[in-house]
Amino acid sequence: MKVNLGVGAYRTEEGKPLVLNVVRRAEQMLVNDSSRVKEYLPITGLADFNKMSAKLIFGNDSPAIQEKRVTTVQCLSGTGSLRVGAEFLARHYQQRTIYIPQPTWGNHPKVFALSGLFVKTYRYYDPATRGLNFQGLVEDLSSAPSGAVVLLHACAHNPTGVDPTVEQWEQIRQLMRSKALLPFFDSAYQGFASGNLDADAQPVRLFAADGGELLAAQSYAKNMGLYGERVGALSIVCKTADVAAKVESQLKLVIRPMYSSPPIHGASIVATILKDSEMYNEWTIELKAMADRIISMRHQLFEALRERGTPGDWTHIVKQIGMFTFTGLNTEQVAFMTKEYHIYMTSDGRISMAGLSSKTVPLLADAIHAAVTHAN
Amino acid sequence: MERRVGVLARHLSSHSPSMASGNPSEMISPFPTAGSFGESVFAHVVQAPEDPILGVTVAYNKDPSPVKVNLGVGAYRTEEGKPLVLNVVRRAEQLLVNDRSRVKEYLPITGLADFNKLSAKLIFGSDSPALQENRVTTVQCLSGTGSLRVGAEFLAKHYHQHTIYIPLPTWGNHPKVFTIAGLSVKTYRYYDPATRGLNFQGLLEDLRSAPLGAIVLLHACAHNPTGVDPTLEQWEQIRQLMRSKALLPFFDSAYQGFASGSLDADAQSVRMFAADGGELLAAQSYAKNMGLYGERVGALSIVCKSANVAAKVESQLKLVIRPMYSNPPIHGASIVATILKDSGMYQEWTIELKAMADRIINMRHQLFDALRARGTPGDWSHILKQIGMFTFTGLNTEQVAFMTKEYHIYMTSDGRISMAGLSSRTVPHLADAIHAAVTRIK
């Protein structure tokens, strides 16, 4: 019996990939509509998709949107949105340094470096508490040069699952605005983290509401299960509508020499769902079910470790949020678990809760127990 | 303070957008703040000009005239002037979407394996020795543009020569793709306005004087925008010259099957190079020949000297792709793979493809005949000789502007028209417009 806790893709209780019912429905509608064609999208992508994506992340009543201060362009999921945003900044923004949290998703530094930005880090994860090193974060952002770009995980930090509280977010916001640090949000788990789309967008909305500027990369890979369709959006909130329009025109000059225009299929599925209130509701229900299953796995694993009397404080398993748990296990312990218990996970101790099921929790708990009590 | 900041901002915006070279002692307020007061940090960003090719359709859409014709963008239109989704594509799509066992998991970074294998066979030929010897790496990319970009970024990182020679003229986006990827762009003579054909002498001279090892962009067939292709004999001469100077071929194959109606004929130039044991890059697009435009389906192949090198090259291609968009989109590639692997569907595709190519050739003949019927001055035989979606009419910018203004004909200012945008109904109107332009404007 082996368990794959490596990949960051949702799995059902049966350990299978999931295509949401509402996604299948939307896709059927699209493909059965013989009036639909496959013409090139505009460089900036599907207009409806862009409008609705902006509303999804910033809120329907966002003043920034109402004032037309936001440009949103369809990109290839989160990665593509980050890359297009970073290339735009490298070309048009005066500060070419981006601060990324320590640790962060393995691909982040490469995306930014290849775009032409210099990558520095800010303290984030505290191994002692398996929580946020808020003091370190504040110190590092305070000593960043004025105007530097700062990458922020909107929610469900990858790989740690450790998020600032709403109060901490407010402090981060004030600090960043006082130093003119430019926020670049990576929002890959909206709705997937807490089960609530609005709650998971709070940090982004906090910044968007203060009249300042920011970038936000959105992905529909996880929250709509559209992984391989590569659906995402980059939004840039600007001071004025005039600036937003000019910024959009320059974003096109980044996209056109990269791949000309984005793919229609996935974005059409998203637009179909977001614009239909009944499908939207169905989506929120299926989304919450995924989030709830993951939260349930967290509780099951925590309970299982408690039952086994596994030494150590494992509350971080239920405190961390989103798809991943940063167990705190070291590379030797991880290797042991793979060898003896066939548990597959990344060597930094990160496990994908989405890969767990009620059936496999006991095996994982046994493995963790053995690894932790096994002589180092 | 505000006024001084404004003056500074205007001063700086008239120079390079980057303030990184600014003299700190001149800075009144170092940077516009991203906070809730002060100017936008992007205040200096200038409005970019509209893409000249796509801008044509924008202008066309604004025109209320009932006789307007869009000959700008290179997308196929039916006799009724409508976009076309191939029957076989709709069928494949239905099969895929109705298959409830299908999921939407991430593809590998290099894309759909079947799609890659079948794409390589399509362009190099099923019996290509390079394929049989595993010397080819093929990675799924976002249509032609994406394939060119990934290939160019790979070359900028791993190839010793960073200069790429592109034909004059070429697709408007080519120089930008290569420049941003980190290559320097030079041109080689290609189109001869005097003959409206190939400037073969100039081409040979320019390639001969290129530095050893330079990269050379070659349009596999149906050169965009001119429609002028070398003959097979000329291709052979180009091949020999290039191999003698170790010039690295980078093919852009956007019209395989769409140019002549025959998939094999349109791949001859690429196969000629692949067959000589040498190395090359090839960017393939399914936008036109499968009508998959907006699905963004394409592939980059790199033919290497050995299987060992091909494997290493593939591993490095992943490092280009992953930080760009992680992995490619599944839908379009799945449609292509479904069609290519099923002999019945493949046959159906070749028939629909030939029908598109034939309609375009038919439009060429109709336009040529219409101009002849009007006694329009000049030699218009290039309309028949040029191949593929586009005709380089030879009309100048004034004549083009006149045709747009007086006849509501929309085309790019270089005189390029998309034959795919024509129909039996609109040919007479275009012929009238050309006739008027040529007789009234010199």
Side-chain angles (χ1 to χ4, degrees), chain B residues 176-391:
Chain B
K176 296 160 193 166
V177 173
F178 298 127
T179 303
I180 286 178
L183 299 176
S184 330
V185 174
K186 286 183 132 72
T187 59
Y188 60 91
R189 279 169 287 168
Y190 192 83
Y191 179 70
D192 184 351
T195 59
R196 288 171 186 155
L198 181 64
N199 179 358
F200 191 52
Q201 238 0 81
L203 181 156
L204 290 177
E205 276 170 34
D206 290 347
L207 292 192
R208 214 171 268 133
S209 58
L212 277 193
I215 308 157
V216 179
L217 178 76
L218 302 164
H219 293 225
C221 70
H223 180 271
N224 176 5
T226 69
V228 169
D229 286 346
T231 62
L232 278 179
E233 294 74 26
Q234 288 172 326
W235 271 121
E236 174 57 18
Q237 280 184 258
I238 293 168
R239 186 195 66 77
Q240 283 180 24
L241 169 60
M242 285 182 62
R243 293 312 196 190
S244 76
K245 291 186 57 70
L247 299 176
L248 181 63
F250 196 155
F251 279 98
D252 184 352
S253 177
Y255 301 100
Q256 187 184 1
F258 199 92
S260 69
S262 159
L263 287 156
D264 291 319
D266 290 347
Q268 273 319 301
S269 57
V270 179
R271 293 180 187 182
M272 194 177 281
F273 279 75
D276 70 8
E279 300 179 312
L280 64 97
L281 286 80
Q284 258 173 297
S285 167
Y286 288 94
K288 287 92 177 170
N289 62 9
M290 262 205 211
L292 290 172
Y293 305 95
E295 302 285 357
R296 318 309 293 127
V297 203
L300 169 72
S301 286
I302 305 187
V303 180
C304 308
K305 275 286 167 64
S306 68
N308 182 257
V309 169
K312 291 179 186 168
V313 164
E314 182 164 307
S315 72
Q316 290 293 342
L317 286 173
K318 289 176 168 180
L319 298 194
V320 170
I321 294 168
R322 177 109 167 112
M324 203 185 280
Y325 49 83
S326 281
N327 42 71
I330 44 177
H331 192 68
S334 303
I335 292 172
V336 173
T338 301
I339 292 169
L340 294 184
K341 71 167 62 144
D342 178 290
S343 59
M345 292 183 104
Y346 184 96
Q347 284 302 109
E348 192 180 332
W349 172 46
T350 61
I351 291 166
E352 291 192 75
L353 179 51
K354 186 165 189 310
M356 288 195 287
D358 285 348
R359 195 183 90 66
I360 284 172
I361 291 167
N362 185 8
M363 290 302 102
R364 291 184 176 280
H365 286 276
Q366 285 195 26
L367 180 60
F368 177 77
D369 290 344
L371 291 171
R372 206 174 47 168
R374 283 155 182 70
T376 308
D379 177 1
W380 297 97
S381 58
H382 57 285
I383 292 177
L384 300 178
K385 286 190 235 168
Q386 288 166 8
I387 187 172
M389 194 177 284
F390 303 110
T391 291

Side-chain angles (χ1 to χ4, degrees), chain A residues 332-352:
Chain A
E332 290 78 27
Q333 290 165 330
V334 170
F336 170 85
M337 286 168 61
T338 306
K339 187 164 185 285
E340 303 299 327
Y341 286 81
H342 312 286
I343 306 284
Y344 291 84
M345 53 195 280
T346 48
S347 58
D348 55 4
R350 183 192 85 165
I351 54 175
S352 166

Side-chain angles (χ1 to χ4, degrees), chain A residues 15-36:
Chain A
K16 293 203 172 358
L18 178 69
V19 178
L20 301 187
N21 288 327
V22 72
V23 165
R24 285 210 192 276
R25 256 214 300 149
E27 203 175 40
Q28 287 280 353
M29 282 167 56
L30 290 166
V31 166
N32 289 329
D33 180 356
S34 55
S35 74
R36 283 184 61 77

Side-chain angles (χ1 to χ4, degrees), chain A residues 27 38 79 92 213 256, chain B residues 40 44 51 93 104 145 326:
Chain A
E27 203 175 40
K38 293 190 179 300
T79 310
H92 296 282
E213 299 179 313
R256 178 97 164 121
Chain B
S40 166
H44 58 279
D51 182 286
E93 205 174 39
K104 293 191 179 299
T145 310
S326 281

